[in-house]
Amino acid sequence: MQLPLPKHIAEERILLSIDPKKDVDAFHPVNVGKIMIGDFDFLPCTPAGVMELIRESGVDPAGKDCVVVGRSNIVGKPQAMLLLHANGTVTICHSRTKELAEKTRKADILVAAVGIANFITADMVKEGAVVIDVGMNRDENGKLCGDVDFEAVKEKAAAITPVPGGVGPMTIAMLMKNAVKAAQL
C-alpha cells in the first residue's frame, strides 16, 4: 500500500486488510508492535535503509546521541526505534520542538524527516555529525531538495546523504529485501 492514501480512503481499514506476513512496508499494527519489541519480520523500508547507510558510514549508533527530526509513523517513530535497538541514545524532535537547534547540535547522528525544504541549517549541526536527509521536497525554484541545507551542512558533516540519490535508492533496496523475505515466509 502506498502512503499517504487519498483522504477519502480509510487508511486503517486498508492497513488491517493486509496479511502481516505480506506487509513488506511494515505498516500493519502487528508489524509495528513487533518493531517496538525488537522481534520483527520486516522493517519499514526507509528507516531500514537509513540504518544501512549509517552502518556503511562506519558509525556504530551504540552510545551515540541520535536525534530524529520527524514523528511520522512511516519514518520518524520507527527510525527512533531502530536507533534505540542499535543502542543509540535517541531524542525525537519535530518542527514545533522548542530550542530545536540546541537539541540537533548535540547529535552525533542526525536524521531529518520533517518534510520541510532546507529546514536543517548548518548552525543546527554538530561538527563531524553523520547527517541523514530523508526529506523529499521542492525548493522555491521547484528543484528537488531535502530537509537539510546540503551545501551548507556538507562542510560540517563527517557524512551526509544527498537528495536525490541518498535515502531514496536505499528505500527501494529495502523494499526488495522485504519482498524476498515475504516470499520466503
Side-chain angles (χ1 to χ4, degrees):
M1 180 173 78
Q2 185 67 49
L3 293 175
L5 291 172
K7 293 188 187 304
H8 70 281
I9 298 175
E11 181 178 305
E12 185 177 349
R13 184 171 164 215
I14 302 298
L15 276 175
L16 291 173
S17 71
I18 298 171
D19 181 342
K21 289 189 187 307
K22 295 179 182 179
D23 176 27
V24 295
D25 288 311
F27 293 159
H28 191 285
V30 167
N31 288 325
V32 172
K34 288 177 135 192
I35 292 162
M36 290 293 292
I37 63 173
D39 181 26
F40 45 81
D41 294 314
F42 303 109
L43 291 174
C45 301
T46 299
V50 168
M51 294 305 291
E52 287 292 325
L53 287 167
I54 292 170
R55 275 191 279 282
E56 285 297 316
S57 76
V59 173
D60 180 359
K64 300 284 190 302
D65 286 319
C66 307
V67 175
V68 177
V69 183
R71 56 184 166 177
S72 73
N73 291 331
I74 297 171
V75 179
K77 292 175 190 175
Q79 187 66 68
M81 290 310 310
L82 296 184
L83 288 163
L84 192 60
H85 289 316
N87 297 313
T89 300
V90 181
T91 302
I92 303 172
C93 300
H94 46 82
S95 62
R96 295 182 183 163
T97 297
K98 292 181 181 175
E99 300 175 14
L100 177 62
E102 183 179 307
K103 292 168 178 57
T104 58
R105 275 194 294 271
K106 294 178 183 176
D108 300 307
I109 299 171
L110 176 61
V111 180
V114 72
I116 301 171
N118 299 312
F119 185 75
I120 303 294
T121 56
D123 66 310
M124 298 171 76
V125 177
K126 177 181 179 179
E127 189 77 36
V130 172
V131 180
I132 308 291
D133 191 347
V134 179
M136 198 59 99
N137 311 294
R138 299 262 176 204
D139 66 13
E140 61 278 352
N141 300 316
K143 183 180 175 197
L144 197 59
C145 68
D147 291 350
V148 177
D149 180 353
F150 183 85
E151 290 303 317
V153 173
K154 73 179 183 181
E155 302 303 320
K156 291 182 86 172
I160 185 171
T161 59
V163 174
V167 174
M170 290 303 299
T171 298
I172 295 165
M174 296 301 105
L175 179 61
M176 295 300 103
K177 183 177 178 180
N178 283 351
V180 169
K181 188 169 189 173
Q184 291 169 336
L185 289 173

